[in-house]
Amino acid sequence: MNVTQDLSFLALITNAHLIVQLIMALLLLISLTSWTYIFRKMFAVRQARKQTIEFERSFWAGGNLHALHQSANGNRDQSGALARIFDAGMGEFIKGKASYGSREALDVGAVLDGARRAMRAAFQREMDVLESHLAFLASVGSVSPYIGLLGTVWGIMNAFRGLANVQQATLAAVAPGIAEALIATAIGLFAAIPAVVAYNRFSHDIDRLAIRFESFVEEFSNILQRQSR
């Protein structure tokens, strides 16, 4: 055990036991990865919300559905999740109507069911993209404190073992070793707290987007049903 009176943050890390240093390095790597996903998810959710609002404004403006379908189909990457859901449903509806040839042979129920299934499939794909990496943030929030605690326990054990080689055990002798060990818990909390906050925030925002998507699927299905009569 390296006993030192320098209790600066850098000195505590450099003088910590090798196992504790490895745990700290792991926690820092986890924290950096977590922050990368947090910023990426923040921009993705913000863009998805903006694109959803823009498409809803265009859709409910009362324009031609076929023109809107062509616009969404021609610019799928930039049109947004809701536009792609609409494109999937409208495209399946057009194909379904064309497959029957004549209006007399048209099975409205089958065509509408096909359009609704296509929108549901597109909805699941979009939700899968929006929810990507959320499980990682949840895992970081729940596991990081325990990883830090492991480093703390190991460091404290090592500090007390070092006292066996000291003639007189004093607080000054054991304090640096305990402080080194507690750094691991601090880094674990530093990794866990932002991950938990971000997970809860993104889950809330994505749930609100999912409600808007599901509402649109039902409303658009009603519009297609009225147009099929």
Side-chain angles (χ1 to χ4, degrees):
M1 178 182 67
N2 295 324
V3 179
T4 176
Q5 297 301 319
D6 186 359
L7 298 181
S8 65
F9 188 80
L10 182 59
L12 291 175
I13 293 178
T14 55
N15 291 321
H17 190 271
L18 178 61
I19 300 297
V20 180
Q21 289 179 338
L22 292 176
I23 291 176
M24 291 180 186
L26 175 62
L27 288 171
L28 288 175
L29 178 61
I30 291 174
S31 180
L32 289 174
T33 306
S34 175
W35 278 106
T36 300
Y37 288 150
I38 287 172
F39 282 112
R40 288 174 59 183
K41 187 60 61 179
M42 180 177 64
F43 291 125
V45 171
R46 183 180 301 173
Q47 184 182 28
R49 187 188 302 113
K50 178 182 178 182
Q51 292 173 333
T52 298
I53 294 173
E54 291 176 351
F55 179 79
E56 286 179 336
R57 187 181 297 115
S58 300
F59 181 84
W60 295 113
N64 185 276
L65 292 180
H66 290 276
L68 191 61
H69 168 60
Q70 292 177 354
S71 176
N73 190 38
N75 194 21
R76 292 181 59 87
D77 294 335
Q78 302 297 325
S79 57
L82 189 58
R84 288 189 287 270
I85 293 173
F86 161 79
D87 177 59
M90 191 66 187
E92 184 64 28
F93 179 75
I94 294 173
K95 293 178 183 177
K97 288 181 64 177
S99 65
Y100 282 93
S102 63
R103 187 176 183 82
E104 292 75 14
L106 178 64
D107 188 344
V108 176
V111 173
L112 292 176
D113 286 343
R116 187 177 290 107
R117 285 194 299 269
M119 286 189 287
R120 285 292 177 184
F123 167 79
Q124 293 297 333
R125 288 193 297 269
E126 297 299 333
M127 291 305 300
D128 184 63
V129 173
L130 286 174
E131 292 175 349
S132 62
H133 306 310
L134 285 186
F136 177 81
L137 294 179
S139 299
V140 170
S142 61
V143 173
S144 292
Y146 295 103
I147 298 177
L149 183 60
L150 173 62
T152 297
V153 171
W154 188 277
I156 291 176
M157 288 172 53
N158 185 64
F160 279 108
R161 286 175 59 193
L163 291 178
N165 300 322
V166 178
Q167 294 294 332
Q168 184 179 2
T170 63
L171 182 61
V174 73
I178 295 177
E180 294 165 5
L182 291 175
I183 292 292
T185 296
I187 297 177
L189 293 175
F190 176 78
I193 293 174
V196 171
V197 173
Y199 173 81
N200 291 333
R201 179 61 186 178
F202 294 148
S203 296
H204 175 265
D205 292 342
I206 292 173
D207 286 343
R208 290 179 63 87
L209 284 172
I211 292 173
R212 297 176 76 163
F213 295 165
E214 290 179 334
S215 299
F216 175 82
V217 169
E218 297 302 322
E219 291 168 343
F220 185 49
S221 297
N222 292 335
I223 293 175
L224 292 178
Q225 185 175 13
R226 288 195 297 268
Q227 289 194 353
S228 300
R229 293 175 181 173

